[in-house]
Amino acid sequence: MLSEPADTPWAEPAGRRLAEGNGVRAVFLSLLRDGAEPDAAAIAVCVAAGSGRKEAVDRLGQFSGLWEALQPGEEADGVDLLIAHGYFEPDVALDDRQQAALAHLHAALQAVPGVPSGAAASLSTQLRTGRLVEARQQLERLGGQRWSDNTRFWTAMRQADEILGSLPDRTLPTE
């Protein structure tokens, strides 16, 4: 069961450790060593990395039962899973141009019959965190392999390309 600490007491030490240059994995594991429960440590690191507390709690809910499924001492595996799924990466506010590009990338996704689950998870994180160039590149690779004759997909992709131009990609250190 996901606990919801009222004031996220571990966020301050998590923020300090991130500011010192430690990655989210190292900070999470250090909070566990300090006595935090895994869900409280995950929420604290997520908040310290820039997400709101409610967002952090809501996102962690998608991983309900994770800690119970692990054996004692396997918490590093759990945090690696959270990292792989972009849990610690905060949502970003996009400007009008980025919002328009995002809308075209969503239109491209809606034009296809299905996206493989692994690609869907990474695309979701990329779109949520504003890594639009990276998402466009991944969609282009998938499109070439799976939907080469899908006119609606390629039209939406071309429209996204026109807007994106050379926007920088965003990343969050994880080590």
Side-chain angles (χ1 to χ4, degrees):
M1 175 113 211
L2 176 64
S3 67
E4 296 186 28
D7 59 351
T8 316
W10 296 100
E12 184 180 331
R16 212 173 26 253
R17 291 169 188 168
L18 286 174
E20 292 169 354
N22 295 295
V24 295
R25 183 180 197 274
V27 173
F28 173 86
L29 294 173
S30 72
L31 292 176
L32 291 183
R33 284 190 301 273
D34 291 347
E37 293 295 322
D39 57 345
I43 291 167
V45 174
C46 192
V47 168
S51 292
R53 186 185 171 288
K54 182 181 179 335
E55 293 170 59
V57 170
D58 290 348
R59 264 190 252 141
L60 192 56
Q62 298 171 18
F63 300 93
S64 179
L66 170 63
W67 311 117
E68 292 82 12
L70 298 173
Q71 298 296 316
E74 293 181 341
E75 292 82 5
D77 294 335
V79 75
D80 289 342
L81 178 71
L82 295 178
I83 290 168
H85 285 275
Y87 170 75
F88 297 104
E89 299 179 52
D91 294 354
V92 295
L94 302 176
D95 64 25
D96 291 343
R97 185 172 156 215
Q98 293 166 321
Q99 285 285 351
L102 178 63
H104 290 300
L105 293 173
H106 278 296
L109 283 167
Q110 292 170 348
V112 297
V115 178
S117 61
S122 64
L123 281 168
S124 174
T125 298
Q126 292 162 0
L127 296 174
R128 181 181 59 76
T129 59
R131 295 186 341 241
L132 304 179
V133 172
E134 187 178 332
R136 187 207 53 78
Q137 291 168 340
Q138 185 175 3
L139 277 172
E140 185 174 21
R141 282 190 302 274
L142 278 170
Q145 296 168 355
R146 294 176 164 265
W147 314 297
S148 60
D149 61 347
N150 186 322
T151 305
R152 284 181 49 221
F153 173 82
W154 290 109
T155 299
M157 290 292 291
R158 194 169 25 263
Q159 291 168 327
D161 282 344
E162 289 172 10
I163 295 168
L164 287 173
S166 61
L167 286 179
D169 200 16
R170 302 169 193 228
T171 59
L172 176 71
T174 56
E175 287 300 318

